[in-house]
Amino acid sequence: MGTSNVSSNSDFILMGLFSYTGPHLVLFFLMATVFIIGLLGNTTLLFLIATDSRLHTPMYFLLSQLSLLDVGFPLVTIPKVVAEFLQGQNVISFGGCATQMFFLMLMGVSEGVLLSLMSYDRYVAVCHPLHYQVLMRNQVCLVMVGASWFSGALVASIQTSITLQFPYCASHTVDHFFCELPALLKLSCADTSAYELALSISGVLILLLPLSLIFISYGHVLGAVLHMRSAEARHKAFTTCSSHVTVVGLFYGAAVFMYMVPGSYHSPKQDNVVSLFYSLITPTLNPLIYSLRNREVRMSLVKVMGRSDFRVKR
């Protein structure tokens, strides 16, 4: 079989998620609804954090970066899925495929690092409350956010550039609903085993290093909570950390399945479900988890809604 290098004129064909049958139409509109809810939830949380002075703290600054990533994640994939469904065409250009892959890795790695740094913030808040303002001063928060974005950009640049250098066979049909690195590698005519091994090793490091920091941070938090004599203090500490732990579980559960479990142990259909989960469901759930379980966010939202209601009555 002859091979041809991927060029800027090459197109890829993505496997659509939905057909035009009744059940699939229901699923399509459900996906679109979840997408809109996610965008509204994250943009609302960003607005509250930016406008309410009570939320101008290190924890909420880091949370605003998480919401920013959760706005970008669905925007990279879902509008393309919707356009493909409405137009009846599942073609994506070489540039579009490269862009999707780059930004998905950028945001995925950045979010993983950011979640680990947010766990450090919770560790300082619970274990060293008197030194919190010093240990989590503005300069430290900016460095933490910069490190998460830089690590994401670095990994995305390296992996995207290497992946797109491989020669691809005549079939450019990606067995996925967006351009994700593992799915694209399956189309290559070249021997990618060495790169896939390197990718697995780097994936383990990219996932395990932040996870290790999360486990260490919450190990110290748990130890500190167990030594608290006040039931109210223990409840406050658990409430402070529970939202973040929930978000970590959702994000890393999907990431571990996709990048640490060998591809032979999961099918393309399972990959599609998990990818839809972490690219759409998780970003939608994150602001709901933080707003519903966080008293300050709820109070800020009630305050804003109260102002709006007052203006309408006037």
Side-chain angles (χ1 to χ4, degrees):
M1 180 181 295
T3 63
S4 58
N5 287 335
V6 174
S7 66
S8 58
N9 295 321
S10 299
D11 291 333
F12 292 100
I13 300 173
L14 299 173
M15 298 297 290
L17 279 176
F18 308 106
S19 64
Y20 292 94
T21 60
H24 277 226
L25 287 173
V26 173
L27 291 174
F28 171 79
F29 285 111
L30 179 61
M31 182 201 70
T33 302
V34 173
F35 172 68
I36 293 171
I37 292 173
L39 287 183
L40 288 175
N42 282 295
T43 52
T44 300
L45 195 53
L46 281 168
F47 173 77
L48 293 176
I49 293 172
T51 57
D52 193 334
S53 59
R54 293 174 300 178
L55 302 183
H56 292 173
T57 63
M59 182 182 80
Y60 289 108
F61 174 65
L62 296 177
L63 180 57
S64 71
Q65 297 301 302
L66 179 64
S67 290
L68 188 61
L69 289 166
D70 286 340
V71 168
F73 237 124
L75 283 176
V76 175
T77 56
I78 303 305
K80 177 62 178 173
V81 174
V82 173
E84 290 169 356
F85 180 79
L86 296 178
Q87 297 172 2
Q89 296 180 348
N90 295 340
V91 177
I92 185 170
S93 66
F94 171 80
C97 190
T99 301
Q100 266 198 345
M101 193 157 48
F102 174 82
F103 280 105
L104 284 169
M105 279 190 283
L106 164 66
M107 290 181 288
V109 174
S110 297
E111 184 161 336
V113 174
L114 181 65
L115 287 172
S116 68
L117 296 175
M118 289 175 73
S119 72
Y120 172 76
D121 169 76
R122 295 300 82 208
Y123 157 72
V124 175
V126 174
C127 299
H128 303 284
L130 298 179
H131 300 94
Y132 183 80
Q133 294 300 326
V134 175
L135 295 175
M136 292 300 298
R137 57 191 182 275
N138 290 339
Q139 296 90 330
V140 174
C141 292
L142 289 173
V143 169
M144 292 168 73
V145 169
S148 67
W149 282 99
F150 175 78
S151 59
L154 180 63
V155 172
S157 299
I158 293 173
Q159 293 191 354
T160 301
S161 60
I162 293 176
T163 301
L164 295 177
Q165 292 301 314
F166 286 109
Y168 290 86
C169 299
S171 173
H172 284 187
T173 301
V174 182
D175 198 3
H176 208 31
F177 67 95
F178 61 82
C179 285
E180 194 166 25
L181 193 151
L184 203 61
L185 282 179
K186 295 177 181 179
L187 301 181
S188 177
C189 297
D191 182 10
T192 61
S193 56
Y195 177 56
E196 289 183 36
L197 177 61
L199 193 63
S200 298
I201 295 173
S202 65
V204 169
L205 293 175
I206 291 169
L207 289 173
L208 287 187
L209 288 178
L211 270 176
S212 299
L213 178 58
I214 291 170
F215 283 128
I216 292 171
S217 297
Y218 279 110
H220 286 290
V221 168
L222 182 61
V225 169
L226 292 177
H227 285 87
M228 292 179 179
R229 296 183 179 181
S230 168
E232 182 180 352
R234 286 197 299 270
H235 175 73
K236 184 178 180 180
F238 275 123
T239 302
T240 302
C241 300
S242 59
S243 296
H244 182 252
V245 171
T246 304
V247 171
V248 167
L250 290 172
F251 177 83
Y252 276 99
V256 167
F257 178 84
M258 284 296 296
Y259 291 98
M260 291 183 65
V261 177
S264 57
Y265 288 90
H266 44 91
S267 66
K269 287 186 178 180
Q270 290 175 321
D271 290 344
N272 281 338
V273 172
V274 174
S275 296
L276 186 64
F277 182 83
Y278 73 72
S279 65
L280 177 63
I281 306 301
T282 300
T284 301
L285 290 176
N286 286 351
L288 297 177
I289 292 170
Y290 275 102
S291 61
L292 293 177
R293 304 185 69 177
N294 192 294
R295 182 172 176 269
E296 288 83 2
V297 175
R298 293 199 304 270
M299 288 178 61
S300 179
L301 182 59
V302 169
K303 181 180 177 182
V304 170
M305 293 177 66
R307 286 178 180 174
S308 300
D309 187 50
F310 176 74
R311 289 172 184 171
V312 170
K313 289 181 179 179
R314 288 184 62 185

